[in-house]
Amino acid sequence: MALPRNMGETTLLLAQQLIRYDSVSSTSNESVSQWVADRLTAIGFEIEWITYRDSQGVLKVNVVAKRKPSSQKIRAGEGGVCYLAHTDVVPADDWSVDFCGPFEAVVRDNRLWGRGSCDMKGSLACALAAVAAIAVEEQTAPIYFVVTSDEEVGMDGAKCVDRKSAIFQEMVERNVVGIVGEPTELNVVYAHKGGASMRIVARGKSAHSSTRDGINANHQLIPILPLLLELRNECESNISLHNHDFDPPTLSWNTVLRNEPFATNVTPSLAEAAVFLRCMPSVDHRPLMKRVELEALRMGLEFSQREGLPFSVQRDAPHVRELLSMTSKKDPITVCYATDAGVLQRLSQLVICGPGSIEQAHRSDEFISLEQLQRGTALYEKVFRRWATPMGSTGVTLDRS
Ligand SMILES: [Zn+2]
């Protein structure tokens, strides 16, 4: 398929450059972030550089950026628009495409192949190309970018932005419309599940199982397993733990077990049970976690938990309705995966809408179609114009709720 000259080509080139940075979550995203910051600086954005060290001591970078209109034109007090993305990608060790590697960004069959092409460097390229098509002189409200780290592994980047970024605070105060560009095939997503996890650990002592020297950690862990099964069954059968805005409507309780070492002639010194819950708006999963915590502590087991919040806005909120009309979609939808939106909900006018299908994300043959790149770019240009140029003042009034 032939892309329209300029916009489509620009987006594709930007996406290829982004993909060629190996920014798997376990590595530093500093260089790809620098590239994003340089692009934005070149078209008039000011940059806030939010960094931290992850649990392995690796430097992580979040780029928060703002481009103000010329001062005499600025709409005081509120308004503006933000595009949000992440630069980290999931590992590519199992990459299975035979005609290119995961970080080569090759085009074939009207698709751009590579790790992060769909989730979500293709989307980021669309937004960068779209904003470059708008002159600062056209703006009457600010345009913002938030580009985070570690979205794929606990969203610590977004948490850091929420805590530390002065520009993000300004966005909250201005009540800007925020578009999280995760792949939705340009459907408008008004709610998604979150992710809460628990980790229960028993420790023993490893030895050759023919001797009496070992202490088998499983024998301490096993007594809590019936409770995990009981609670999982409750998640399935108790309708007060269901939310039918989602498919499946359940918390998708998932129990995972692990031993170290794992050999039948060695007593394991470590036994671990982990549980992952996909928590939902209007379902309180915390009592379930509390029951596990109390029982684990009573049994002398180690217990830890992490919480990733679900996300939701009103399905008929004005910014949702407007985005529906821009995308020619009839109804907004929900999805069952989590995004930075759960963490950044101090922005009350958030929505998720991006090119590419989640079916292609995280796969060993990840790609995004060139058609989605083209549509994404066109949509984001409309979005920026709607909420940051005079075109916006003729549309539906922004909602403060
Ligand atoms: Zn993503």
Side-chain angles (χ1 to χ4, degrees), residues 193-317:
K193 293 183 178 181
S197 62
M198 295 179 275
R199 191 165 171 257
I200 306 146
V201 174
R203 294 186 196 276
K205 186 176 160 213
S206 92
H208 197 285
S209 65
S210 63
T211 71
R212 288 177 172 159
D213 297 339
I215 301 168
N216 188 321
N218 280 330
H219 299 158
Q220 290 169 259
L221 187 77
I222 285 167
I224 203 167
L225 298 183
L227 175 65
L228 301 187
L229 182 62
E230 180 192 326
L231 292 177
R232 181 265 170 197
N233 292 340
E234 195 179 326
C235 286
E236 294 299 303
S237 61
N238 181 346
I239 55 167
S240 75
L241 294 171
H242 296 177
N243 179 341
H244 283 274
D245 289 342
F246 295 93
D247 180 24
T250 60
L251 291 164
S252 297
W253 177 294
N254 191 38
T255 310
V256 180
L257 300 174
R258 185 171 77 96
N259 272 145
E260 264 180 37
F262 188 88
T264 50
N265 59 352
V266 180
T267 54
S269 59
L270 179 134
E272 175 181 346
V275 175
F276 192 76
L277 291 175
R278 296 190 180 266
C279 37
M280 296 176 281
S282 354
V283 171
D284 190 3
H285 62 283
R286 286 167 302 184
L288 303 172
M289 293 178 72
K290 196 72 200 167
R291 278 176 69 186
V292 175
E293 180 182 7
L294 290 176
E295 194 60 7
L297 297 179
R298 193 186 68 75
M299 292 176 175
L301 302 165
E302 294 171 25
F303 178 88
S304 58
Q305 58 186 322
R306 269 185 89 106
E307 187 90 24
L309 294 170
F311 156 75
S312 68
V313 293
Q314 294 294 326
R315 56 174 291 147
D316 60 351

Side-chain angles (χ1 to χ4, degrees), residues 7 22 37 45-46 67-68 74 79 131 139 148 170 205 218 221 235 265 272 295 307 348 374 386 397:
M7 191 162 71
D22 172 353
F45 277 79
E46 64 181 87
R67 191 171 76 178
K68 288 185 296 194
I74 191 165
V131 78
Q139 273 179 249
T148 64
E170 177 185 306
K205 186 176 160 213
N218 280 330
L221 187 77
C235 286
N265 59 352
E272 175 181 346
E295 194 60 7
E307 187 90 24
S348 55
Q374 182 202 341
R386 163 62 188 90
T397 318

Side-chain angles (χ1 to χ4, degrees), residues 86 88 118-120 151-152 182-183 337-339 358 361-362:
H86 60 83
D88 65 315
C118 177
D119 186 5
M120 56 178 294
E151 192 274 344
E152 300 288 3
E182 291 277 355
Y337 51 88
T339 76
I358 198 67
H362 299 200

